[in-house]
Amino acid sequence: MRRAESPTGAESLTRAIEAISLVDHHVHGAWADDVSRRQFEELITESDRPVPGWMTQFDSQVGFAVLRHCAPVLGLDPGPDPETYLARRAELGAEEVNRRLLTASGIGHFLVETGHRGDEILGPAQMAAVAGRPADEIVRLEPIAERVVAAGTDAAGFAGRFEEALWERSRTARGLKTVVAYRHGLDFDPRPPTPAEVTEAAGRWLRASDRSGTIRLDDPVLLRHLIWTGLERGLPLQFHIGLGDPDIDLRRSDPLLLRGLIELAEPREVPLLLLHCYPFHRHAGYLAHVYPNVYFDVGLGVNYTGARSVAVVAESLETAPFAKVLFSSDAWGPAELHHLGALLWRRAMIRVLSEFVAEGEWSENQAVRVATMIGAQNARRVYGLGEKV
Amino acid sequence: MRRAESPTGAESLTRAIEAISLVDHHVHGAWADDVSRRQFEELITESDRPVPGWMTQFDSQVGFAVLRHCAPVLGLDPGPDPETYLARRAELGAEEVNRRLLTASGIGHFLVETGHRGDEILGPAQMAAVAGRPADEIVRLEPIAERVVAAGTDAAGFAGRFEEALWERSRTARGLKTVVAYRHGLDFDPRPPTPAEVTEAAGRWLRASDRSGTIRLDDPVLLRHLIWTGLERGLPLQFHIGLGDPDIDLRRSDPLLLRGLIELAEPREVPLLLLHCYPFHRHAGYLAHVYPNVYFDVGLGVNYTGARSVAVVAESLETAPFAKVLFSSDAWGPAELHHLGALLWRRAMIRVLSEFVAEGEWSENQAVRVATMIGAQNARRVYGLGEKV
Amino acid sequence: MRRAESPTGAESLTRAIEAISLVDHHVHGAWADDVSRRQFEELITESDRPVPGWMTQFDSQVGFAVLRHCAPVLGLDPGPDPETYLARRAELGAEEVNRRLLTASGIGHFLVETGHRGDEILGPAQMAAVAGRPADEIVRLEPIAERVVAAGTDAAGFAGRFEEALWERSRTARGLKTVVAYRHGLDFDPRPPTPAEVTEAAGRWLRASDRSGTIRLDDPVLLRHLIWTGLERGLPLQFHIGLGDPDIDLRRSDPLLLRGLIELAEPREVPLLLLHCYPFHRHAGYLAHVYPNVYFDVGLGVNYTGARSVAVVAESLETAPFAKVLFSSDAWGPAELHHLGALLWRRAMIRVLSEFVAEGEWSENQAVRVATMIGAQNARRVYGLGEKV
């Protein structure tokens, strides 16, 4: 890590990377309403526990990054105290805050995953309206199955209804997403279950849902079935990997556990996109190196490592071919996270690639080209977004 | 990594970090006697094997750090050869060497864990006397249980006697420690065993001890019982994690294996302190991020990586809130390890935080505040040490 | 990471490291013939899949390194486009390309592992002829067993014939190699199998080979038997670890899985050499720290991380004593890989050690000494190569 100023040539590299119209290939909606300090602190952590009285989430890499980099967008000097920052935020109002942070991010296209508490945040159309940039949808598999059950089905009818619902729900979607890492872990039998196994598992699920009154899909047979149906649908398929809220058993989210599925899915040529991956991002890079159907990003790991995201991004530029690495913010809620996702990624790329250039390892042209591939072009190709308008 | 000199402002940051009166929240006593070269080399490695004739432990990061940083404290130029260093050490005598290295470390409070070969090294009171700074005790769970058995008990009486001994032994202790990572691995059933299970396991242990003539607790049921009794005692509970002597199966010391226990223990609000954690320190940082009851340090990993400890410390400043990271040396034996634990941690913090400041990511005030939290304040809060006197 | 120029003293360190006559303790032969672009791209990746039409393997760290560092050796400016590079390569012809790249590498002694498609590449004698430097052989265990079966044996005769073939085949070899990581994974029972188990497993293998018409050893009992017979043979034993082609399950190639075998083998004092190890090289460093019989390198991980190999090499200089770290290129095929293996390792060492010296942590003498140990002396000692001639 070094300062971005570095040798002369670095200025043009900096300008080029700052000018990339990013494709954020995995992001969620911004929070529409004003927030209290407590709410805000709970939205800048993956922990779902109340913030203990003896600490503040502002004392963290992401907290420092908010105060440093978002304050100027709201018209403050960099690095105010949290109270000042939140007072200014309230004064401007959520709508203006969202507009400023999203437009200043330089994100040119949002692929909005709508499956996590989607009713509390802006949808794709609203994101497009606020940011003034196109927003398409990524559809999460598991809620579709849960809505099929909520709407009423018998076990034998589940598979057909799910297929129908998936096709309908994903009509205009750019990709699909699975959270099998949360619901079970990645250590599942990779083979497609038989129809009889699916019916049997659906029956178990229906009976358990009746008993408990809650509909939550965590049966590994059905989760596999969703993935294989998703592969049949043929859209790029995103996998949550690594870092996430404590609902995840991080140990069972190592992407290397997906090897069997990757190999079985390979003949279908459906892009498999491994999201976040921290702290297993080197494992993901290896998979992207050897399997043509594997891509990855360090999404969520960038925001939560703040000033250290330079190291995380650097580690994502090791064994994977550059055509297999993507950019995402995985922001959910405060538009600060959308803004920082883009800003920290750019700063990290500028620092890492400036080093390569300063050391004489890469040319500046190569650096700009790779940053553009990762920041936009790879996603445009994978999701069929066409050339930038 | 960069030189500490860096931009102007870095000087005041350096001075501030060097002035922190550290709390070493996990340390052992210094070696009281003079040492031969063979002894010294065996004390600056985690290996318990004899040093092969074709190598010297001085040819390692910790060896180079001893020669570089401890020599001046003994009145030599930096970087003497090992013979010169050890001759000077012998000339001064162990007492003077300990006094110089401990006082020069700037450690202001020692939490001394006494459970590992405690009779060969200085106890807390002696450490306080030599260093001129307070020293409190951390009590290891497993030896208490072993002494209960050595003193004589039947299986049915074991649990009661252990409880009694633990309360007595920890009357003035600041915390407890478990080495379940060594004795079994962290892949144990996290639930508290039932009284019947404890009695049955105690019976097995007593019979095995009778047969073998040695009393060593490695039964997973009893190890779990000790941990749960420790949680009931309510003092902060330290876990050995990661890097250690070859008695450990490193693969089974990944802190992510503790997830089940962390969640079951969470309602008790007992701080769980994950020690060392190398090479799994990013995993520990994640746990500290999502679980309010989890803290961690990179203790032992700092000394054994020497000039590379900058990278290890940097990696400890990623996802965990800064209120959840602590400092420790884990020194055992030569006071060089106590001294280096503090010195290398300070140098690493200076370099890493100077970078953050130079890059414009953090303010100098933030850097000093975080270093003070990690170096002292977090430990003062967790262990109830009160304000620094 | 910094530029190599850095402070004044760094120049003499650079010169000293560039002058080391390296021992490449694990390498394969260079490709003898001219190559098409498709062939070349397939030879600079560990993937065994065809290169997808929408990407080129030149857009990767190793691809950029080829264009940057090998072009000047072929008389081009650094960083040509791939077409220009390959046209110049074709113009010079494979023999001249090999001669230039191998001699310019500064590798002074090759230990050539001949077990992987050895008939497609130069053998040790040819490598010595082209490079003008000695080349000795490392013999792979599994093909010897496969040739025993191909030549015809019954189950009861297998063990004896294998032993005989191994002793004959390794008469002048400097070491042995096992690819148990590929054939099974490192999670095998570490104990030597009994003769009856070996005969039974050989019978299974013979019957399966008869049925399938292919002879590929992947039975864990027999793989263990080969390893234990290799340990009896007593030559240094290399293990493929970590990063490799997709035939490997990377998750099952964590070197920590070898702990049981390492401990059982320890009394024999046979050096066990863990190769590559990425992304588990810190785990390998720990094993080299605590077990006298363990050594490691970051071989293949250097070429495939290119400009980032500085970080990988830095991470290899943490907990292991410096007498336990070795250099290898693991090059197979294009002599670009042999050249880059040496060049990138030197550049990484220069940058990492210059930092240590600039930071005042190491002396320049220490840095040169450690680079010479890792680059040549440790291998000379382990493989009994004698002093450099």
Side-chain angles (χ1 to χ4, degrees), chain B residues 5-29:
Chain B
E5 33 95 344
S6 36
T8 50
E11 277 171 44
S12 56
L13 176 58
T14 297
R15 278 198 303 274
I17 291 178
E18 286 179 347
I20 298 170
S21 180
L22 299 174
V23 177
D24 191 343
H25 87 110
H26 180 81
V27 62
H28 307 270

Side-chain angles (χ1 to χ4, degrees), chain C residues 228-242:
Chain C
W228 279 102
T229 311
L231 289 168
E232 211 156 295
R233 175 66 181 83
L235 291 169
L237 178 54
Q238 302 180 343
F239 287 76
H240 179 98
I241 306 277

